[in-house]
Amino acid sequence: MQEMAAIVTYLVIFTVISSALAYDPDMLQDLCVANTHAGIKVNGFTCKAEGNVTEADFFFDGLAKPGKVNNSVGSLVTGANVEKIPGLNTLGVSLSRIDYAPDGLNPPHTHPRATEMIFVLEGELDVGFITTANKLISKTVKKGEVFVFPRGLVHFQKNNGDKEASVIAAFNSQLPGTQSIAMTLFTSTPAVPDNVLTKAFQVGTKEIDKIKTKLAPKKS
């Protein structure tokens, strides 16, 4: 019970801060439940007719249980953003749950539209971000502790323990966006030219091809 109270307290604090420093457009009405089927592109989503709004538009139970981690990096992110909770449209907040296998990694990535705050539910993680001055800010965090990753900066989380770990992440955006550094550079469509990657990483084409092969989506 105390653990849940602590989680609620941290999330309330984050929500208050994000309301003052929100990067998403401010709301102009009580609610604007996302109409994801409208077929109209705006900065966000158009509003569903208020008469069609229900409690289901504000509910999601996908973070209640650990996700099944089944990939080579050993982590799984379950988002609770406007795509899962239409009622978040224009509210400027979202959550996600990240589960880590033993030795699992949430690889270096960025969120272009949000600052991230994590609350450790279970386990112990080495976390960090890199500033634009190329300085690594890192720390080991354990159950009940919080760490913040500033908007847009490359960051990571690594479970160095022999037990599973999990965190709840809060964002000051309804849809923070995620760019994995490795996936962005080596699996984009169209592909980043090899001569760009070889020069940037100071390696040969064979090394680039090897990385691309390892990161390529597995065919079902």
Side-chain angles (χ1 to χ4, degrees), residues 20-128:
L21 302 174
Y23 290 100
D24 287 359
D26 288 338
M27 56 196 295
L28 299 176
Q29 58 276 314
D30 288 344
L31 49 87
C32 175
V33 173
N35 181 0
T36 56
H37 305 293
I40 300 172
K41 294 286 187 180
V42 296
N43 189 23
F45 295 92
T46 57
C47 305
K48 179 191 287 189
E50 197 161 327
N52 296 330
V53 172
T54 71
E55 68 281 357
D57 293 315
F58 299 88
F59 176 79
F60 180 64
D61 64 358
L63 306 188
K65 297 179 181 179
K68 185 178 180 181
V69 180
N70 185 25
N71 55 49
S72 59
V73 295
S75 68
L76 177 68
V77 179
T78 304
N81 52 47
V82 68
E83 294 177 338
K84 302 286 183 64
I85 310 173
L88 286 177
N89 196 37
T90 74
L91 299 186
V93 293
S94 61
L95 297 174
S96 67
R97 177 184 178 125
I98 312 169
D99 295 295
Y100 312 82
D103 201 40
L105 170 71
N106 190 9
H109 62 281
T110 70
H111 302 294
R113 296 186 290 273
T115 291
E116 176 181 2
M117 174 186 285
I118 62 167
F119 178 88
V120 183
L121 294 173
E122 296 291 343
E124 189 172 294
L125 301 161
D126 290 340
V127 303

Side-chain angles (χ1 to χ4, degrees), residues 168-181:
I168 291 291
F171 302 91
N172 61 336
S173 172
Q174 66 183 34
L175 197 61
T178 300
Q179 279 194 303
S180 169
I181 304 306

